[in-house]
Every structure is written in structure tokens, then in C-alpha cells.
Amino acid sequence: MRDLFTAGSKRFDQYFKKGPHLAIDFSKNHLTSDTITLLTALAEESQLADKIHALTHGKKLNITENRAAFHTALRIPAQKRDQLPKEIADEISAVHAQMQSLCDKIHRQTPLYPQGQAITDIVNLGIGGSDLGPAMVAEALTPYHKKQVRCHFVSNVDGNQLHNTLKNLKPETTLFIIASKSFTTQETFANAKSARSWLEASLSTEQTNHHFMCCTSKPEKAAEFGILPDHILPMWDWVGGRYSLWSSIGLPIAFAIGFDNFEKLLAGAHDMDEHFQSAPLSENLPVMMGLVGLWYINFWNTRSHALLPYEQMLALFPNHFQQVDMESNGKHVQVTGEKVNWQTAPVIWGQPGTNGQHAYHQMLFQGTELIPMDFIVGLRTHSPYQQQHQMLVANCFAQTRGLMWGRNEDEVYQEMIGQGINKDEARRLAPHKAISGNQPSTTIMYDKLTPESLGALIALYEHKVFVQGIIWNINSFDQYGVELGKVIGQEVLSQLQGESSSEGYDASTQGLVNYFRNHQ
Ligand code: F6P
């Protein structure tokens, strides 16, 4: 990459692209104009433009479950919603009205029933897409939080998470949201049942019912569970779980930041959707992100991709996109059912900078793997400590520079000689201190982390995943692998409870079950 930069002084201008709410520097990647031509040709050969049209027009791209993945519909602003099929437009408008009215009630501190008290704490019970996206957004938009309520997220079936959350809360002022598209998820319902017992220890059953809301595509099941009719918020089959923060599953976000800010989040994502549909491939931010990622995975054989937000409030961003990317594109067959002969989803990992610099960046600098990275950073901060923001940004840019440019043995050697170190010692140390460079990175910048810019950032990554799925010719919208885990989990549970035998299972799993049972 040193050669590429030395050869072209306009490299930054050539690879710096702007889109709604975001600007992206692709120049520190192993790219030439030929690479871009070839990658966009690959996208054209995959009929990407037609597929983007199909996605954003609600076509049934999820061919195994025979449904659309129409999350972009949820982001179309009210005044433009007439471009949607009427039934869908009406459903979205109705759920928005319901979310808004519930937000008004909670934020005005109106008790939910005559003898009730104002709600001060909201606990979202959900997992996967019914947790990660809302939890990430709620934390990212901390500066917008309403003072009246605190939002908590409990996902794990490990009861310690629920217990540690509830130990500082009061039943009278706590509202639970059961967030489950399928209304069947073991973890969520274990937590919901424990939450009900916790409430019922202080409140009557009738009062307890007022302390639950539910976001689900199975409203009839929610009613059977005792959720009051106006506390059931529908969502639909055509919204995938990992793309559901834009639907009623976003209710905790709206409680945390207010419904007006939730709408701004949707609007920012919609701006990116419009760009995705209209910008030429080589200027299209999600398309370029997808192609550059794919370039490394399939042509440089990389297996992982680091997401490094230089914004502490985006701490959960890599977690959310672990699910979006790896659950969507962790697939081994094409839409035709034939095996893929190429790598699909990379391992997504990362945590906020600068923390990661003191953890795994050593491996990025001097390890043996090529690891593409995304550095994500705001030009401005919400924090009053402005100088610290300059340090943060300086660290971000410095890492991209050091990882790309490196420092060869001769440079290191000369530096040590300049410091007065003797030649033998300098020669001995030089290989240890040299950094090969050439680690590629993309830098994604927004002005300030607002609902709009966050909406655009999330949509950027969702569409990146879509682009890669299209080129790999896989269905990005099912998750049969996870389903198998759920089935076996139920079987093993009944074995642990002594209700069924583990006979017929492999010796390892039988041994583990027996070991557990002998220690109860
Ligand atoms: O992890 C598998 C999964 O099906 C995800 O796709 C989904 O987000 C999560 O479980 C939770 O599902 P539900 O919202 O139906 O409880």
C-alpha cells in the first residue's frame, strides 16, 4: 500500500466517498481502479441492482421461508408511506400510533392503572434480534435519554442477569417488555415467567398484567399469556429478527429516547435506503462496503473482519453486527441448494477504540494474519471534554496510518542508531521492532452520533451484508443452524430434569448429562 500511496497523490480523493450522514475513506485498502472495475462487474453479473430493487419493494427474497425481508418499509416516513401496499402502510402507521401513545403515557408519568404508580424502569426481555439491536441503539443514544425512565436489557437464560437487574428495582414502578417475534424463544419466556413471579410477590395478578407489554408477530399467543390488548404491539413475518429494531421491537428505544427521536433514527436509515437504491455501484456506500469486504474474504482468503468504533457509546455495535452478519451470511449452500465453493460470512469481532489498542492491536500490527478493519468515528462529540475527543480521533487515524504504512527493519535500525544504540544491538532488535504494515482499513465518519447518523450507519451495514449475500448467491434471511441448537437444547433440558434418557446420544453428551445429574 506504500507503493499505491506513493504512486497516486490523489488516492484519498479517489477513494473518499460521501453519502447520507456518512463519509467513508476506502483509500487504505488494497484497491486500484482496476479492482473497483472488476468488483463492480462482479456485482453487475450478480444482478445486484435488480436484487436491491426486489429487497426494497418487498419481494420474497427469503426463498426458504417464502417471505420478504421488508425492513426498509418500516423506515419510509409517514408522508411517503403511500408508496407501500396499503395493508402494510396501515399496519405500520397503526403500530407507530400505538408506540407513540404508550411513550406519551410513560414519559408523562401517567400510571398504567388507577392504583398504579409512574413507571421508572423498563426491562426488555428478548434475545438475538429482539435484544441486540435495541440494546445497542439505546446505549448509543444515551445523550437523548428521557429522564423519566431507565431502560434495562435482559437476554440470557442465566438467571443472574435478571436477578442482578431486578435487585435494585421496585415491582410497582417496573414495566417488562416481552420482545419475541416467534413468541416461543426459551430464554425470553424463562425470564418472562420469573419476572411474573417477581411482580406477583408484591402485586395482584390483575395489577401484574399491567406491568407487561409484548412485541410479537403472534399477538394471539401474547393474549393467552395474559398481556392486555393495548399492550400487544404487532410485528410481521416480513421483518427478520435481526432487522427488527425498526419495528415494534424498537419499543424500548422509543421509551429510552422518545418517539420523535425514534422517528429520526428511521429517517436516517431511510436516507441510506434511498442512496442504496439510486447511487451508481462505485459511489454506493453499502455496495462499496460489501465489495471491499468480499474482496478480502474471497480473493485474499481473510477469515475475520474487525469493527472498531472509536465511540464508547457504540460499544455494542460489533455485537449487533456479529448477529446481523454471521446469522445472515453464515451459510453453506446457495439459493439453489448447491454447496458454495467459496467462503461466506467472516468472523465479526471488535470493541471500542482506544480500549482495543491495549488488547488485540499488537496482533494486528505484528501478527501473521491479514485482517480488514473498519474504524468508525464521529467528527464531533456529545462529551463536554473536547480535548479528549481530539485524542480519540488522533488515535483512530494514527492506528489506520501505522497499520497500513508499518515500519521496516531499516527504518527501525536507523532510528535506533539515531538514539545512540550501538549497531549490534540495533541489528538484533530491528526484526522484533519492525512492523510489516499493509493491514487494510476503511474509515467511516459521521458528524456526531445522532439518531439520524446512527440510523444511516446501521442501514449501511445491513445493506453491506445483503450485498455480500447476493454475490455469494445465498439466502441471507433464514437461520436453520440456530434452530437445530434450540431443538437439541429442549431435548437435553428434559434429560437434565430426568424426564427423558440421553441414551442414543453420543458418549460425550451422555457423560456430561450424567455428570451434571450426579452433582445436583
Ligand atoms: O437466534 C435465532 C433467532 O431466531 C434470531 O434470529 C432472533 O432474533 C432470536 O432468535 C429471537 O427470536 P424471537 O424474537 O422470535 O424470540
Side-chain angles (χ1 to χ4, degrees), residues 45-81:
E45 206 177 299
S46 312
Q47 292 159 348
L48 180 62
D50 292 349
K51 297 289 168 42
I52 294 173
H53 186 271
L55 174 81
T56 52
H57 288 77
K59 299 284 179 279
K60 293 187 174 175
L61 286 177
N62 181 350
I63 45 103
T64 50
E65 295 174 313
N66 193 29
R67 55 196 188 209
F70 205 10
H71 39 281
T72 53
L74 299 162
R75 323 200 270 225
I76 295 178
Q79 65 277 16
K80 290 204 233 161
R81 221 169 271 149

Side-chain angles (χ1 to χ4, degrees), residues 446-475:
Y446 46 84
D447 176 39
K448 200 171 182 180
L449 197 59
T450 61
E452 291 90 343
S453 60
L454 180 63
L457 183 67
I458 300 170
L460 171 82
Y461 274 90
E462 287 180 350
H463 292 324
K464 172 209 122 160
V465 170
F466 176 76
V467 167
Q468 296 184 341
I470 291 301
I471 295 177
W472 290 326
N473 199 29
I474 56 179
N475 179 8

